[in-house]
Each structure stands twice: as C-alpha cells, then as structure tokens.
Amino acid sequence: MLPGLKAGFTLDARLEADSEQLMWLGLCELRLMNDCRWPWLILVPQRPGVEEIHDLTPLDQAMLTFETNMVAQALKKATGCTKINTGALGNIVRQLHIHVIARSEGDAAWPGPVWGHGLREPYSSSEIRRFAETIKAAL
C-alpha cells in the first residue's frame, strides 16, 4: 500500500481531475486546485464514505481542524493574502473535502465567491512545482 493511502479510500474522480496532489498530511491528502486565478488548496480526509465533518470520529475531527488551520496559516504566509476563505460545501462533490482559498482585494472574484466565476485557468507544470515548494516550505 502506498504511504498515506487508507484501505478502502478512493478519491472522487472530480477532485482528482480538477486538482493536483501536493503532499500527504496526517489525516488528509493536500491538493492544489488547478486554477491559477487563486491560490486554492484542498484537504481530503482519507476516510472512505465520509461526506460530512460530523461523520468523522472525534479524533479525526480534531486532526482535520488542526490540519486545516496549519494549511490556512501556511497559505496566508506564502501568499500575503488579505483573507483566507475556508469551506466544506459538498453540494456537487459529496466526498468530504475542505477548500482553503487565499483571497486578496482586487482578485478576479473579489469580494464574491470563487465558485462559478469565469473559466478555470490551469497552472503550468512548472507553476505547480513552484507553488508546491512554496507551500511545503511554509508548512
């Protein structure tokens, strides 16, 4: 079994198609949303069948909070953004995942939400590597 891979866990195909794996945390896989308009990270708890935060065990809930806060602080440090948006919507992709998005006044959707705003602008491979290095250094 690969490091970090939990038995019975499968990443939702839409999350896999729209994002790139950056690293494994204790509970979550950390992914980068492949849209360079916003520094946008996604944490995916590696637990099969989990759709809501309250579906996690109390220990996993605590770990998810810890990892979300750690990622949010690293993203703010790495980007110098005005605001961090954190959310777990799940209306389209039911698998539990947490969005952590760096927002700055004047960005493409400011002050509105990023969802449904314009067309996605994918990163180049070198931009993904550079962003991954920056986030890893901030963590």
Side-chain angles (χ1 to χ4, degrees):
M1 188 177 309
L2 296 172
L5 188 62
K6 306 298 182 203
F9 178 82
T10 304
L11 182 64
D12 183 278
R14 290 163 291 198
L15 287 174
E16 189 165 6
D18 291 346
S19 62
E20 299 291 328
Q21 181 187 34
L22 295 185
M23 63 188 297
W24 296 95
L25 303 171
L27 172 67
C28 297
E29 178 182 357
L30 181 61
R31 301 184 66 85
L32 171 65
M33 178 62 95
N34 196 1
D35 188 342
C36 67
R37 296 175 298 164
W38 299 279
W40 183 340
L41 299 173
I42 300 172
L43 291 99
V44 185
Q46 302 294 286
R47 298 293 186 256
V50 173
E51 294 184 358
E52 307 290 350
I53 293 171
H54 63 259
D55 292 338
L56 294 169
T57 67
L59 181 58
D60 282 350
Q61 289 174 29
M63 192 65 165
L64 178 61
T65 299
F66 174 77
E67 291 179 6
T68 301
N69 290 339
M70 181 176 69
V71 166
Q73 288 172 345
L75 187 58
K76 187 149 191 168
K77 177 181 175 184
T79 65
C81 65
T82 304
K83 182 77 176 90
I84 293 288
N85 290 174
T86 305
L89 303 175
N91 295 345
I92 295 174
V93 175
R94 294 293 173 116
Q95 182 175 61
L96 179 60
H97 60 289
I98 310 296
H99 297 270
V100 182
I101 308 164
R103 301 295 307 278
S104 293
E105 292 178 32
D107 73 28
W110 186 268
V114 298
W115 286 274
H117 183 85
L119 297 175
R120 184 165 60 112
E121 297 175 19
Y123 286 95
S124 69
S125 295
S126 63
E127 289 172 324
I128 290 172
R129 282 192 303 276
R130 190 168 39 255
F131 189 86
E133 290 169 9
T134 301
I135 289 300
K136 288 175 185 178
L139 286 168

